[in-house]
């Protein structure tokens, strides 16, 4: 619990450090499933709450490619059918490509960040480490510049830096509010 608290403090300090270059802020709630490695094992559920800030630090360079950069911090709770759970804290820089039209815009986003897992085992998977990479790919719509609805796939892996690397995926739906 001390490690998770320290990680949350680190994430908060990163956001406070980036305040001078911030634009939009959003909260997002997501529900997903975590498939088991073997089909005979039940899949798990994933609930994710994330906070994201647009970073304007590299706007001049990114805007020529129609990209935005967001810094996203999240907390997750993975739970299996036997009520075993795994808590996850992550931070991820997210690049977003937006086809802007009103009142509906379409986005694609991708990012590679870091995640800390409370347990290095989940379902029938040996993740090999508490620290994993978090890869995110999402597609969705932004309604009236305030509401984000999307589909995502997230992959977690230690990139073979540990002796075991079963990895895990979370696939689901998300809703976010932008202000």
């Amino acid at each position: 619990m001390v490690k998770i608290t320290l990680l949350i403090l680190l994430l908060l300090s990163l956001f406070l450090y980036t305040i001078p270059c911030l634009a939009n802020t959003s909260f997002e709630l997501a529900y997903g499933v975590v498939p088991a490695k073997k089909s005979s094992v039940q899949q798990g559920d994933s609930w994710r709450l994330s906070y994201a800030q647009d970073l304007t630090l590299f706007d001049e360079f990114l805007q020529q490619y129609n990209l935005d950069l967001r810094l996203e911090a999240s907390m997750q709770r993975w739970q299996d059918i036997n009520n075993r759970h795994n808590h996850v804290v992550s931070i991820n820089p997210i690049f977003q490509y937006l086809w802007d039209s009103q009142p509906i815009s379409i986005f694609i986003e991708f990012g590679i960040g870091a995640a800390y897992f409370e347990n290095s085992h989940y379902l029938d998977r040996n993740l090999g480490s508490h620290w994993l990479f978090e890869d995110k790919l999402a597609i969705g719509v932004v309604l009236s510049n305030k509401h984000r609805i999307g589909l995502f796939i997230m992959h977690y892996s230690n990139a073979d830096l540990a002796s075991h690397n079963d990895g895990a995926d979370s696939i689901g739906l998300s809703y976010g509010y932008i202000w």
Side-chain angles (χ1 to χ4, degrees):
M1 189 63 176
V2 172
K3 289 180 184 179
I4 291 176
T5 304
L6 289 173
L7 186 59
I8 289 171
L9 289 173
L10 175 66
L11 294 176
L12 287 174
S13 65
L14 282 172
F15 278 112
L16 291 175
Y17 175 74
T18 59
I19 282 177
C21 59
L22 298 180
N24 290 331
T25 302
S26 66
F27 270 107
E28 193 167 279
L29 179 64
Y31 170 76
V33 295
V34 181
K37 189 174 171 181
K38 299 175 187 166
S39 61
S40 62
V41 177
Q42 289 287 334
Q43 67 187 18
D45 293 327
S46 149
W47 286 95
R48 183 174 195 264
L49 179 64
S50 62
Y51 171 81
Q53 286 279 190
D54 284 358
L55 300 177
T56 59
L57 191 59
F58 303 108
D59 268 358
E60 283 184 36
F61 174 74
L62 293 174
Q63 285 177 350
Q64 63 186 334
Y65 302 104
N66 201 26
L67 289 173
D68 292 316
L69 177 62
R70 297 182 312 131
L71 187 59
E72 183 178 80
S74 72
M75 296 186 312
Q76 299 178 58
R77 179 182 171 91
W78 290 13
Q79 185 169 325
D80 67 14
I81 197 165
N82 296 320
N83 209 24
R84 290 182 300 245
H85 60 271
N86 203 349
H87 293 102
V88 183
V89 178
S90 66
I91 188 164
N92 198 340
I94 304 289
F95 290 95
Q96 176 180 273
Y97 187 88
L98 185 69
W99 286 278
D100 198 8
S101 60
Q102 292 303 320
I104 298 174
S105 300
I106 298 171
F107 70 86
I108 293 178
E109 61 185 19
F110 54 93
I112 299 174
Y116 179 81
F117 280 69
E118 180 181 29
N119 301 305
S120 62
H121 289 81
Y122 184 72
L123 296 173
D124 59 345
R125 296 178 181 273
N126 181 350
L127 302 173
S129 173
H130 292 282
W131 288 98
L132 301 174
F133 292 99
E134 176 184 82
D135 305 332
K136 179 179 182 181
L137 180 62
I139 186 168
V141 295
V142 177
L143 306 170
S144 303
N145 290 329
K146 292 291 178 195
H147 306 276
R148 288 171 43 93
I149 300 169
L151 300 169
F152 67 87
I153 181 165
M154 299 179 76
H155 177 71
Y156 297 90
S157 169
N158 65 39
D160 288 328
L161 297 174
S163 57
H164 293 282
N165 185 24
D166 287 341
D169 297 317
S170 178
I171 304 161
L173 302 167
S174 63
Y175 167 77
Y177 183 76
I178 303 166
W179 69 92

